[in-house]
Amino acid sequence: SEKLCAKVISEGYIDLIQVPYNLFDDRFISYINAAKLKNIKTQIRSIFLQGLIFMSKKNYNKKFDKDYDKIKSYQDFCVKNKIEIYKLPILDSLKNANITKIIMGVDNFNQCKKNLSFISTLSAKKLKQEISYNKINLSNDIINPQKWN
């Protein structure tokens, strides 16, 4: 929880936190920044929103219909700008110098290779280039996988 995260960072009893972070969920960004100031390492997870950013409407859980248009808008942005869907979440995560490690879930070895290959081609210059995509806030029902059942 956000309260617990704030407490453990301020008390300094830990040396690492792990929080969700992605293009659609940056509610922990202030804690990531605060952790850096206290020399606490930060790992982020869920950069692909548990794979939801790749799904088509037919594979989407009906429970999330109200947010599907926002995901579709992101997919359409990627198509229009000729950007593979997986690249922006990686770029967004790598641009934040306060993030120490990124945990990426993959379905298979080829996805892992593709992600790592993309990362290996990046330079500091490329990371500083702005790709103008504004973060979109999704409902708590979709950004919190505990509410998916």
Side-chain angles (χ1 to χ4, degrees):
S1 79
E2 294 169 63
K3 284 183 182 180
L4 180 60
C5 192
K7 181 177 178 173
V8 297
I9 290 170
S10 68
E11 292 177 3
Y13 294 128
I14 59 166
D15 57 4
L16 175 98
I17 61 169
Q18 185 185 103
V19 295
Y21 175 87
N22 57 63
L23 289 170
F24 306 98
D25 179 13
D26 65 355
R27 65 201 144 117
F28 286 95
I29 194 68
S30 63
Y31 305 109
I32 292 169
N33 297 336
K36 177 72 172 182
L37 293 174
K38 295 246 185 186
N39 293 317
I40 297 171
K41 294 178 181 167
T42 302
Q43 295 178 347
I44 61 165
R45 64 179 187 273
S46 303
I47 69 166
F48 303 125
L49 195 59
Q50 307 289 339
L52 293 179
I53 64 169
F54 303 107
M55 288 187 185
S56 66
K57 179 115 180 174
K58 72 177 186 169
N59 295 328
Y60 220 69
N61 185 329
K62 299 272 187 244
K63 182 177 183 178
F64 308 132
D65 275 352
K66 66 182 176 184
D67 287 309
Y68 182 75
D69 288 344
K70 294 174 185 175
I71 299 288
K72 180 71 171 120
S73 170
Y74 169 73
Q75 294 170 341
D76 292 345
F77 174 87
C78 289
V79 169
K80 179 182 174 191
N81 290 282
K82 297 179 174 83
I83 301 168
E84 292 179 75
I85 289 173
Y86 74 95
K87 289 183 176 180
L88 282 182
I90 292 173
L91 284 169
D92 183 58
S93 301
L94 290 173
K95 282 170 121 176
N96 187 329
N98 295 336
I99 295 170
T100 311
K101 301 281 182 194
I102 302 168
I103 299 168
M104 284 187 263
V106 295
D107 287 332
N108 57 56
F109 183 66
N110 285 336
Q111 284 180 352
C112 184
K113 282 184 3 185
K114 185 166 68 169
N115 293 345
L116 294 176
S117 176
F118 173 63
I119 291 168
S120 72
T121 66
L122 297 174
S123 65
K125 183 180 178 183
K126 280 186 183 178
L127 286 177
K128 289 185 190 320
Q129 291 174 347
E130 282 299 316
I131 295 176
S132 183
Y133 184 78
N134 296 324
K135 288 190 181 272
I136 297 172
N137 292 323
L138 298 174
S139 71
N140 195 41
D141 289 339
I142 197 168
I143 62 172
N144 186 350
Q146 293 174 335
K147 296 188 176 209
W148 290 5
N149 293 327

